[in-house]
Amino acid sequence: MSTLWHGRFEGGPAEELMAFTVSLPFDSRLAADDLTGSRAHVRGLARAGILTEDECASVLSALDAVEVELRDETFVFVPSDEDIHTAVERRVTEIAGHAGAKLHTGRSRNDQVATDLRLFTKRELGVVIDKVISMQKVLLLRAQEVGEAAVPGYTHMQRAQPVLLAHHLLAHGWALSRDIDRLVDARRRLDVSPLGAGALAGSSLPLDPAATAADLGFAGVFENSLDAVSDRDFVAESLFDLALLGVHLSRLAEEIILWSTDEFGFLGLADAYSTGSSMLPQKKNPDIAELTRGKTGRLIGNLTGLLATLKALPLAYNRDLQEDKEPLFDSLDTVVLALGAMTGLLASSTFRLDAMAEAANAPTAAATDLAEWLVANGTPFRDAHAIVGALVRRSLDEGIALRDLVSASPELGPDAVFLVDPGVAVTRRTTPGGGGPQPVAAQLAAFSAQVDRDSARA
Ligand code: ARG
């Protein structure tokens, strides 16, 4: 077996070494970016006069041929192809001969693999951002469509104060908007080319890393070759952003699971986005939401795993860094699939507005409004809280309707009874950013503008 380093070594590699160290099974996913990086490198070599125009053309056309073979799946991998970079270079050399053997001049797999992975991540984060925007659009649409429907707002999973359903939906939307902000930011920071750093120290050849960076569409170029080949901050950041995005999806998923129970009855799941039971004929299960919740564990694991790999790693390249790819690929795939499924689930679910209204209109939902009504009439809040609290306790203990107790109360009286009427409490939330119709109308406009801004940044 002929390796890239066969000159220095007397024999071929052990079977166990190859079995343990190959990355081809997963890094073949970087093929397109490897070709892109190699094309820019070859053009750089030509500009530096290291390759003649003819040699450059012949290597570029060999790279084109490799692209076709990979696309048509006619590319024949050989046992010595330990990674996609080795495989491409081997094949280019077979096709372009002497000129092909010049492809790797002034380059190491260390700067090559870092370049490929940055190109890949830059593009794939864009795919995630687009998917998040699609989900935001569904949240916005559904929030617009449910108008002034109310739902109980919860703290401690106990009914607290009613809010508009739109307010609840948009709460998830704003979290997603911060995810987009983080992903855009991560993409901006990773937009630096490591190509030209060589194995670790640069080159004696007259290469121009800034020119290859520009050729590749990177916004900047490395300042330090040691850092360039060993920096995987962009992978760690991406994994964090994806994990937090997953955490946000899992919180929404958890509510979908709860809301679709018979106990809540707030949400009906569409047949196409739910599953049945192999044994229980009546079941309709929220598997998409459950897997979104469950797979978030992997997203967190991928992040902590990579951080553990990077911890205490000395400069510069170490083979440990090959462990960056699988968690990244897995987190990207997981999040993209979860976003697609959750967006469909959200778009197709039926809100049971009557059940929500009934829960939101329970008389005790107005307790805070009764206390605030007293405050508006001069009662200190602590006293108001105690007065209303005592009424609620009596109502529950003695089974007397709260409205009757409010009406008979010396502090509250008949003027305050309207607060207990169905649908009134939610309208009392008028402060900016609050859950009543007035602020939510403003919020819908603000969120819509935010989605437009996010789309423009994507
Ligand atoms: N496949 C490796 C990786 O993904 C690149 C190999 C670099 N190997 C080396 N011995 N310098 O990191």
Side-chain angles (χ1 to χ4, degrees), residues 104-409:
H104 209 54
T105 311
R107 185 177 73 172
S108 157
R109 271 182 304 160
N110 301 348
D111 58 344
Q112 182 182 4
V113 76
T115 303
D116 294 0
L117 198 59
R118 281 177 191 260
L119 289 170
F120 171 87
T121 308
K122 191 173 152 185
R123 184 182 59 250
E124 297 302 319
L125 290 185
V127 173
V128 175
I129 293 168
D130 285 345
K131 291 260 174 199
V132 178
I133 289 170
S134 301
M135 181 170 229
Q136 281 182 311
K137 287 183 175 161
V138 168
L139 281 167
L140 176 63
L141 216 68
R142 304 243 47 189
Q144 286 163 338
E145 151 205 324
V146 296
E148 301 200 350
V151 69
Y154 296 84
T155 62
H156 313 270
M157 274 309 287
Q158 305 287 328
R159 284 181 199 163
Q161 286 181 293
V163 294
L164 292 196
L165 173 58
H167 192 56
H168 193 111
L169 293 172
L170 290 189
H172 291 293
W174 291 109
L176 294 179
S177 183
R178 292 192 296 276
D179 289 321
I180 291 179
D181 194 50
R182 263 184 291 275
L183 290 164
V184 167
D185 199 41
R187 205 176 50 171
R188 175 185 61 74
R189 215 175 352 266
L190 74 71
D191 202 3
V192 174
S193 175
L195 194 58
L200 77 164
S203 175
S204 67
L205 300 165
L207 302 176
D208 182 357
T212 30
D215 188 346
L216 287 170
F218 280 112
V221 64
F222 67 94
E223 296 282 355
N224 180 310
S225 59
L226 293 171
D227 183 40
V229 293
S230 59
D231 171 21
R232 293 296 184 275
D233 290 2
F234 68 101
V235 182
E237 276 193 53
S238 300
L239 289 177
F240 173 78
D241 294 353
L242 295 170
L244 188 55
L245 171 51
V247 166
H248 291 151
L249 294 179
S250 78
R251 296 180 75 173
L252 174 61
E254 173 70 5
E255 291 185 341
I256 290 174
I257 293 163
L258 284 173
W259 285 16
S260 64
T261 58
D262 286 339
E263 284 71 14
F264 267 85
F266 286 1
L267 201 66
L269 304 178
D271 287 358
Y273 288 89
S274 43
T275 53
S277 156
S278 58
M279 176 176 162
L280 314 169
Q282 84 283 13
K283 289 302 291 295
K284 205 163 152 186
N285 295 329
D287 289 29
I288 289 176
E290 289 172 293
L291 278 172
T292 297
R293 187 175 63 181
K295 283 174 186 286
T296 302
R298 286 169 45 166
L299 301 175
I300 296 166
N302 288 338
L303 168 64
T304 56
L306 182 78
L307 288 174
T309 298
L310 296 178
K311 177 188 173 291
L313 208 59
L315 296 177
Y317 180 87
N318 297 274
R319 191 63 178 266
D320 313 45
L321 291 175
Q322 181 170 290
E323 289 294 302
D324 57 359
K325 288 164 207 67
E326 286 164 292
L328 179 64
F329 296 163
D330 183 61
S331 285
L332 285 166
D333 291 344
T334 301
V335 164
V336 165
L337 288 172
L339 280 167
M342 285 288 286
T343 301
L345 180 64
L346 208 57
S348 61
S349 296
T350 309
F351 293 117
R352 307 249 187 264
L353 300 183
D354 290 348
M356 291 182 186
E358 200 185 316
N361 287 331
T364 45
T368 313
D369 303 287
L370 290 166
E372 287 177 358
W373 187 86
L374 287 170
V375 166
N377 292 322
T379 311
F381 177 72
R382 196 44 59 206
D383 299 340
H385 185 288
I387 292 165
V388 177
L391 291 184
V392 169
R393 180 154 50 89
R394 255 194 85 194
S395 167
L396 295 174
D397 287 354
E398 299 172 25
I400 307 170
L402 185 64
R403 62 182 308 116
D404 295 340
L405 294 175
V406 168
S407 181
S409 154

